[in-house]
Amino acid sequence: MTLKDKTAIVGVGSTQYWKRGQSVPETELSMACTAILAALDDAGLTAKELDGFAIYSSSCDPATVGSVLGVDEIRFAATLTSGGGGSAGSLGLAAAAIVSGQAEVVVSLMTLQQAKRRLGGTQVGDAPPASGGGGSPYGAGGIPPGMAFMAHSGLMSPGHSFSLLTQRHMHLYGTKREHLAKIAISQRANAIKRPTSIRKEPLTMDEYFNSRIISDPLCLLDYTMESDGAIAVITVSAERAKDLKQKPVYIMGSANGGMGRWGSAIFSYFQMPDEYFASSGHRPVAKRMYEMAGVGPKDVDVALLYDHFSPMVLMQLEDYGFCPIGEGGRFIDDGNIYYEGGSIPVNTHGGHLSEAYIIGMTHVREAVEQLRGTAVGNQVKDAEIALVTGGPAGLPVSGTLLRR
Amino acid sequence: MNNFTRGVTPVAQKDPYADDVTQPFWDATQKGKLMSTKCTKCATHVLPPQPRCFNCQNDKFEWVELPGTGTIYSFTVVRHPLRPGWDAVVPFAAGIIELDGTQGAGARVQANIINCDVEKIRIGDKVKVAWEKVSDTYTVFRFEPA
Ligand SMILES: [Zn+2]
């Protein structure tokens, strides 16, 4: 038994997107409620019927949200572990809850307000981070003994970590900054056509190369922006989906996880084996996802690839089989990712780099809108199958294939 | 205020906050020795120490001394300061070092790479350990061109 085609996304809801910190006086709770109610309304459902939360990165507290919204009964509440790597996988978690008969109307969501804290800043303060210990958040406390092995290295942010993967990719395969630039420029061109986008100024190759280097080889324009907002999607059984307001978007296949020794790789000691150090970590997830769906990369019409850092788009193109390993740079050079004339349009919404950063959920929203035929600005003609991914980060990372 | 040196990452921590497992590593650093744990069954090196050998799941390790040399596996040059005062530190090089005497992955360390031209270092460059005594209990490792 698999999850293939047994469930469908029937509702999408969202708040507006703000620059980091500008959503005040909204709160993460108020934005979550707004997005969930909008998603239910989009589907033709009510809060009374909501009975499941399949989330990632502990994006909200279902107990609180359920009581505030007056949900009748919560029958399923679970989160994928780790962070943004679970965004696409939360759809698979929702499907699993429904197919196993545990819940019927399941929400997946992210709500994010970075007024007081910053995701990328967790390792930046003077106090050593609590991560890297591999234990539970209720652990012994204090400074973990492993910290002394890395505290003085100067590597302290996600950007530094992804710089290390990128440098090695460049070393092995000849990947160039021009390739990363083309990702940023392509996504900006897509974002410009959309009113939801936060970055709307045209971006040229010159501007890219004049942008400040944060840590080699990544410049400011290779980094995600930071935003506030919330997005929710509602998943139900394929059977139930037939009677609802929207054209169903079926979950063909979904997988999360990754190689065991990838582990929390990039946020601790970089001990991944040589074979997949310079990768997105998605290879085994892609394989299982395609197997479940019974299709391959050639069948995908539009790819919404998690893009907290531009090189991870390039490495996912390889790991999801759009081109051979090491060929990502040349594949981009040949124009394959562009909305206009590309063989596989990538991040037609502008992505984290140019539209907004709601930790992967803007990608889910765009995948659904592409398959409904309602995408704003960059509708891929007759799109039937969309890929949406979460991560790359510490495990699990995830990928989901959706079809109309 | 601290006196920062360009290229050399300041050390905020004054003690390794070691436990029984990691204390031998820091004791050895005081004598200028770079040590690693080695699985007593399959000889896989695991550094920093972990509860189990990832290769054979054994929980018994011995401490062995390494030559203190290695190879830059990957690196970055940090040019934007993320902490107050670090504008006097950037640009600095930091990277992943594969240590001679180990199998590589599983016993890599991440470290500041000093005494080098940050514009010229490359993946594959040979490096050797450079110690800095921070306190009576804590001596940190950096690497420099071999
Ligand atoms: Zn062993």
Side-chain angles (χ1 to χ4, degrees):
Chain A
M1 188 191 82
T2 79
L3 303 174
K4 181 175 161 53
D5 297 337
K6 295 201 172 77
T7 57
I9 296 171
V10 292
V12 181
S14 133
T15 63
Q16 72 169 90
Y17 309 145
W18 293 266
K19 285 183 184 171
R20 174 172 67 85
Q22 295 187 358
S23 59
V24 177
E26 293 277 351
T27 64
E28 288 190 340
L29 177 61
S30 70
M31 293 191 293
C33 291
T34 299
I36 292 170
L37 290 173
L40 287 164
D41 186 58
D42 185 51
L45 293 163
T46 68
K48 298 276 174 216
E49 293 163 286
L50 178 67
D51 68 351
F53 290 78
I55 58 177
Y56 62 101
S57 196
S58 300
S59 62
C60 74
D61 175 26
T64 305
V65 174
S67 66
V68 170
L69 290 181
V71 168
D72 265 355
E73 181 186 357
I74 294 176
R75 300 187 179 91
F76 186 87
T79 183
L80 289 181
T81 49
S82 195
S87 57
S90 69
L91 304 173
L93 182 63
I98 293 162
V99 171
S100 61
Q102 297 179 82
E104 292 182 4
V105 176
V106 180
V107 67
S108 301
L109 85 148
M110 178 51 67
T111 180
L112 178 64
Q113 183 177 68
Q114 300 192 86
K116 297 198 180 82
R117 65 191 167 82
R118 298 176 66 182
L119 289 169
T122 49
Q123 293 159 292
V124 175
D126 258 354
S131 64
S136 85
Y138 304 107
I143 295 169
M147 190 53 54
F149 288 87
M150 22 187 230
H152 59 285
S153 70
L155 298 168
M156 63 181 88
S157 74
H160 297 167
S161 294
F162 288 104
S163 292
L164 294 168
L165 302 195
T166 310
Q167 288 273 79
R168 183 127 188 113
H169 197 279
M170 290 176 154
H171 170 77
L172 291 174
Y173 307 120
T175 308
K176 296 186 173 68
R177 286 193 64 210
E178 280 81 355
H179 302 138
L180 309 184
K182 286 179 180 177
I183 294 167
I185 290 167
S186 167
Q187 293 193 195
R188 182 65 60 85
N190 293 341
I192 284 168
K193 296 191 241 168
R194 294 165 56 83
T196 43
S197 296
I198 291 173
R199 288 180 178 163
K200 280 190 222 168
E201 326 75 53
L203 177 61
T204 66
M205 193 62 89
D206 275 353
E207 281 165 320
Y208 177 89
F209 276 95
N210 287 328
S211 161
R212 185 179 58 186
I213 298 271
I214 307 293
S215 63
D216 293 4
L218 303 183
C219 69
L220 192 59
L221 293 168
D222 293 311
Y223 277 59
T224 178
M225 69 184 95
E226 298 173 290
S227 329
D228 290 1
I231 298 176
V233 299
I234 304 293
T235 303
V236 302
S237 71
E239 198 56 33
R240 178 116 185 234
K242 286 179 195 160
D243 306 324
L244 297 177
K245 252 164 67 181
Q246 303 292 345
K247 204 163 65 175
V249 169
Y250 297 95
I251 297 175
M252 294 181 81
S254 183
N256 74 74
M259 299 303 286
R261 287 179 62 200
W262 183 273
S264 59
I266 52 170
F267 295 122
S268 53
Y269 306 112
F270 298 90
Q271 306 289 14
M272 327 71 116
D274 207 29
E275 305 92 88
Y276 53 83
F277 181 96
S279 83
S280 69
H282 279 250
R283 254 171 249 168
V285 167
K287 182 169 182 289
R288 282 186 282 122
M289 177 198 74
Y290 285 130
E291 277 170 9
M292 183 187 289
V295 298
K298 288 209 161 31
D299 301 303
V300 178
D301 299 306
V302 56
L304 293 314
L305 305 178
Y306 197 97
D307 59 327
H308 42 7
F309 296 95
S310 65
M312 303 323 285
V313 172
L314 187 152
M315 293 184 211
Q316 287 180 87
L317 288 168
E318 298 174 358
D319 290 342
Y320 279 92
F322 295 108
C323 62
I325 304 299
E327 294 289 320
R330 280 168 285 278
F331 187 76
I332 289 163
D333 253 347
D334 291 343
N336 286 291
I337 67 168
Y338 298 131
Y339 171 64
E340 304 276 0
S343 65
I344 177 67
V346 170
N347 292 344
T348 43
H349 57 327
H352 293 148
L353 298 179
S354 282
E355 191 200 32
Y357 174 65
I358 315 292
I359 318 188
M361 285 305 285
T362 57
H363 298 61
V364 174
R365 175 184 176 183
E366 174 71 0
V368 172
E369 291 180 354
Q370 283 284 349
L371 299 175
R372 285 179 178 177
T374 59
V376 176
N378 305 291
Q379 175 68 49
V380 174
K381 194 166 175 290
D382 301 325
E384 286 182 16
I385 295 179
L387 166 66
V388 57
T389 70
L395 300 188
V397 297
S398 61
T400 294
L401 281 169
L402 302 173
R403 73 165 175 87
R404 66 178 187 191
Chain B
M1 281 306 286
N2 292 305
N3 291 317
F4 290 154
T5 307
R6 196 164 305 285
V8 181
T9 56
V11 183
Q13 227 169 286
K14 298 300 173 208
D15 187 271
Y17 301 99
D19 58 9
D20 290 349
V21 177
T22 60
Q23 189 63 53
F25 179 90
W26 300 108
D27 288 345
T29 65
Q30 302 280 22
K31 299 172 203 144
K33 289 181 181 178
L34 185 66
M35 306 277 279
S36 165
T37 64
K38 186 176 164 186
C39 173
T40 56
K41 263 192 198 155
C42 76
T44 297
H45 287 266
V46 177
L47 189 70
Q50 299 293 350
R52 295 278 169 168
C53 168
F54 61 84
N55 186 51
C56 77
Q57 293 73 49
N58 181 25
D59 64 352
K60 301 280 190 298
F61 295 90
E62 57 181 334
W63 282 100
V64 295
E65 186 179 350
L66 299 176
T69 54
T71 306
I72 299 177
Y73 185 74
S74 195
F75 74 97
T76 183
V77 178
V78 177
R79 298 178 191 275
H80 174 69
L82 287 181
R83 285 183 180 151
W86 281 46
D87 49 338
V89 178
V90 295
F92 65 87
I96 308 299
I97 312 298
E98 287 207 337
L99 298 171
D100 291 343
T102 75
Q103 76 284 351
R108 295 176 186 136
V109 289
Q110 59 188 65
N112 182 202
I113 303 165
I114 59 170
N115 299 329
C116 64
D117 180 346
V118 298
E119 309 304 337
K120 291 203 173 137
I121 62 166
R122 294 289 176 263
I123 289 172
D125 284 359
K126 302 301 277 183
V127 289
K128 62 179 197 290
V129 70
W131 301 108
E132 181 193 335
K133 189 176 169 74
V134 175
S135 71
D136 286 343
T137 58
Y138 193 30
T139 295
V140 301
F141 54 88
R142 305 176 198 279
F143 283 81
E144 61 186 0

